[in-house]
Amino acid sequence: MSTVSYYTADGLKKLREELDQLKNVERPKASAAIAEARDKGDLSENAEYDAAKEAQGLLEMRIAKLEEVHANARLIDESQLDVSKVLVLSNVKIRNMANKQEIRYTLVAESEADLKTGKISVTSPIGRGLLGKSVGEVAEITVPNGTIKFEILEISRD
């Protein structure tokens, strides 16, 4: 069963670039490695050939997976998003009610999440807990080590 994934224009472009790289660069390299190993003689005792075939199989699985993701990818129309509530692509400034620390996150699709740059997935516990909330609301989010309360301070879009 395939699931629909939502992407920003940049995220979809990166997905396409990775798929093109695998198909147009890595696939020919794998074929060349198999051909080179095949030329070395007896295939029944050729470990290099077996390794090349296994690498090709893994590459083909990765390509098939990315093609499925790409086929089910949907581009998010940012102009249609409501800025009064936390949604995908929202920049959210929140305050941890326990320690008063303020944090800023951008909610993105799971495939684009990168905590180092402040991008969290809408499917993460914090992302799910913030979705649909408005400025001033308090989100009670259950995380592995308990429940955290976050106050929504600001919602914006880039």
Side-chain angles (χ1 to χ4, degrees):
M1 184 176 140
S2 56
T3 57
V4 173
S5 298
Y6 293 94
Y7 286 85
T8 60
D10 192 39
L12 193 56
K13 180 180 176 215
K14 287 179 184 174
L15 178 67
R16 285 184 185 133
E17 287 171 355
E18 182 180 0
L19 191 53
D20 287 344
Q21 170 74 15
L22 292 175
K23 286 174 142 182
N24 300 323
V25 177
E26 300 302 325
R27 185 182 271 165
K29 282 183 187 176
S31 295
I34 290 170
E36 183 179 323
R38 189 181 306 122
D39 291 341
K40 293 186 178 177
D42 186 9
L43 298 182
S44 64
E45 296 178 13
N46 190 334
E48 190 176 332
Y49 177 77
D50 292 338
K53 287 294 283 181
E54 186 174 336
Q56 182 189 37
L58 294 172
L59 176 66
E60 291 301 326
M61 283 181 11
R62 177 76 178 138
I63 289 171
K65 177 67 178 160
L66 283 178
E67 284 178 334
E68 180 183 342
V69 168
H70 186 263
N72 295 304
R74 302 293 179 266
L75 187 62
I76 298 170
D77 183 0
E78 297 179 48
S79 67
Q80 300 296 315
L81 298 177
D82 181 7
V83 294
S84 67
K85 294 183 185 272
V86 178
L87 300 170
V88 177
L89 300 182
S90 292
N91 293 318
V92 184
K93 184 176 180 182
I94 56 177
R95 179 184 301 130
N96 185 323
M97 300 298 282
N99 63 13
K100 305 298 183 207
Q101 181 180 358
E102 293 183 3
I103 310 164
R104 184 175 294 273
Y105 289 124
T106 301
L107 274 70
V108 295
E110 189 171 350
S111 59
E112 297 181 55
D114 181 11
L115 194 56
K116 291 178 203 155
T117 59
K119 294 179 179 180
I120 62 170
S121 168
V122 293
T123 59
S124 69
I126 293 176
R128 276 195 314 265
L130 294 175
L131 283 176
K133 300 286 190 257
S134 301
V135 173
E137 284 190 66
V138 175
E140 289 190 34
I141 300 169
T142 303
V143 293
N145 64 346
T147 302
I148 303 173
K149 292 182 181 182
F150 290 110
E151 179 184 3
I152 312 296
L153 302 176
E154 185 180 305
I155 301 170
S156 64
R157 303 252 187 267
D158 282 342

